Amino acid sequence: MKLKHIKLLFKNILFFSFLITLIVPAYSELSVEEIIKGRKAIFSKNYNTAKRVQSLASNGDFDEAKELMKEMSENYKSLLEYFPENTKEGFKTESLPAIWENKDEFNALMTKSSNDMIELASIIETTDDIRGSIGKLMWANCKSCHTKFRAQH
């Protein structure tokens, strides 16, 4: 009986190890260009999604808005992996050196942005001030990041 459980455990470990190699992106194997373009795409997606969230919430379409807020939250978490040291320059990056000089602050802002989107999703239907809540919990984070960590364009 023990041997059967050990075999099953071993099979599961091998299976999950295999899945991890397929699912978890190998950021170290991505080129600088892929990383920079990837982070730009995520920020762009979040901006476009934020505009949709604003519109949906203003129109009372809370369920769809909340799903998009959760998606944005996950995007902010994923951005933590998109700023390795070797991606400071090139490929029209608009990221300022302040990101790497203040890495903990930048990471904290991405984490706060992620958490704020979850908070916004939890209060959006009950807030008396939809526009103000969106401004405080979504747009203020965008502004904070752009002010300190993004080049003017």
Side-chain angles (χ1 to χ4, degrees), residues 33-98:
E33 179 179 14
E34 291 169 320
I35 294 169
I36 292 172
K37 287 183 177 181
R39 70 185 180 218
K40 288 173 77 172
I42 293 170
F43 279 123
S44 179
K45 181 168 179 30
N46 265 10
Y47 174 69
N48 290 326
T49 302
K51 291 192 300 186
R52 287 190 59 214
V53 163
Q54 177 93 41
S55 176
L56 290 166
S58 295
N59 292 327
D61 296 329
F62 298 118
D63 290 337
E64 190 175 349
K66 286 193 274 188
E67 287 304 312
L68 293 175
M69 291 173 204
K70 291 173 187 171
E71 182 182 311
M72 288 177 67
S73 174
E74 291 302 314
N75 287 344
Y76 284 119
K77 288 179 194 175
S78 71
L79 281 164
L80 295 172
E81 303 297 324
Y82 276 86
F83 290 89
E85 284 291 321
N86 65 336
T87 63
K88 292 179 182 180
E89 298 177 344
F91 304 100
K92 298 181 182 177
T93 184
E94 295 173 347
S95 301
L96 293 175

Side-chain angles (χ1 to χ4, degrees), residues 84-135:
E85 284 291 321
N86 65 336
T87 63
K88 292 179 182 180
E89 298 177 344
F91 304 100
K92 298 181 182 177
T93 184
E94 295 173 347
S95 301
L96 293 175
I99 289 174
W100 293 271
E101 294 164 2
N102 305 292
K103 191 69 165 180
D104 290 341
E105 183 182 350
F106 176 78
N107 287 349
L109 180 57
M110 292 299 104
T111 300
K112 179 184 180 305
S113 299
S114 175
N115 293 339
D116 283 355
M117 292 311 299
I118 297 301
E119 182 181 348
L120 183 59
S122 73
I123 67 155
I124 195 67
E125 287 184 80
T126 59
T127 184
D128 292 333
D129 183 10
I130 292 172
R131 187 178 195 86
S133 295
I134 289 173

